[in-house]
Amino acid sequence: MADAEWLALACDLAALCPPSETAFSVGAVVVGPDGTELARGFSRESDPSDHAEEAALAKLGDVPPGATVYSSLEPCGARKSRPRPCAELIVAAGIRRVVFAWREPSLFVEGTGDEYLRAHGVEVVELPALADRARHPNAHLLGRP
C-alpha cells in the first residue's frame, strides 16, 4: 500500500477511540520496511491515557530498521498525561520515518512533535489531503459537527 492508504487506515482507526473532552481521537499504524503491518493502535485503546502511537509501539518488541509510523495526528511533542510524548517514544524506538495527516492544534498542548522528530533525524511527511478525515472523529472538540 502507498502512504495515503496506510494513513487512511490510521484515520479510520481514530473512529474507534472512546470519545473524550480532554484528548484527541487518533489512530496509528506501524509498517515495516517490506510494507507489512507490524502493529496498530488508537487513543484510549486499553487505558484512558493511551495515545495511538504509544499503543501501537507497545505491541512491538524490536522495531526493524526502516519502519514507518502512520498517524492521523502529528505525534505529540508534549503531553500532560504521561512523562514521555509520542515523538520521543518514536525516536527511542528507532523509527526514522513518520507520516501524518493533521497538525496538532494548540487545544491541549502546543503541537511540537514535527519539530522534535525532525531535530532527531526523522523524516516527516505531512499529507494534508487527509486532514479532514483525521479531524472528523474530533469534531466535538473543534466546535463543529
Side-chain angles (χ1 to χ4, degrees):
M1 289 198 311
D3 282 347
E5 293 169 297
W6 285 116
L7 190 53
L9 173 58
C11 291
D12 291 347
L13 290 170
L16 301 176
C17 301
S20 172
E21 292 299 320
T22 60
F24 291 110
S25 293
V26 180
V29 183
V30 182
V31 176
D34 62 353
T36 59
E37 181 179 326
L38 301 176
R40 61 174 66 184
F42 56 89
S43 302
R44 298 173 296 287
E45 182 174 347
S46 60
D47 182 279
S49 295
D50 281 349
H51 283 198
E53 303 90 339
E54 174 184 42
L57 290 171
K59 295 172 185 168
L60 298 173
D62 291 331
V63 178
T68 298
V69 169
Y70 293 89
S71 180
S72 59
L73 181 69
E74 170 188 9
C76 65
R79 67 189 287 183
K80 295 178 180 181
S81 60
R82 299 234 168 99
R84 295 183 78 189
C86 293
E88 187 178 316
L89 295 172
I90 289 167
V91 169
I95 292 172
R96 310 310 304 156
R97 186 166 187 268
V98 172
V99 180
F100 71 88
W102 178 33
R103 263 187 202 280
E104 183 173 10
S106 299
L107 187 60
F108 303 115
V109 297
E110 289 299 316
T112 59
D114 183 327
E115 293 83 358
Y116 182 91
L117 292 166
R118 290 177 193 272
H120 288 83
V122 176
E123 175 190 357
V124 179
V125 177
E126 182 178 0
L127 297 181
L130 290 171
D132 281 344
R133 194 165 172 174
R135 279 190 286 269
H136 183 73
N138 295 288
H140 66 289
L141 297 171
L142 305 172
R144 59 186 175 104

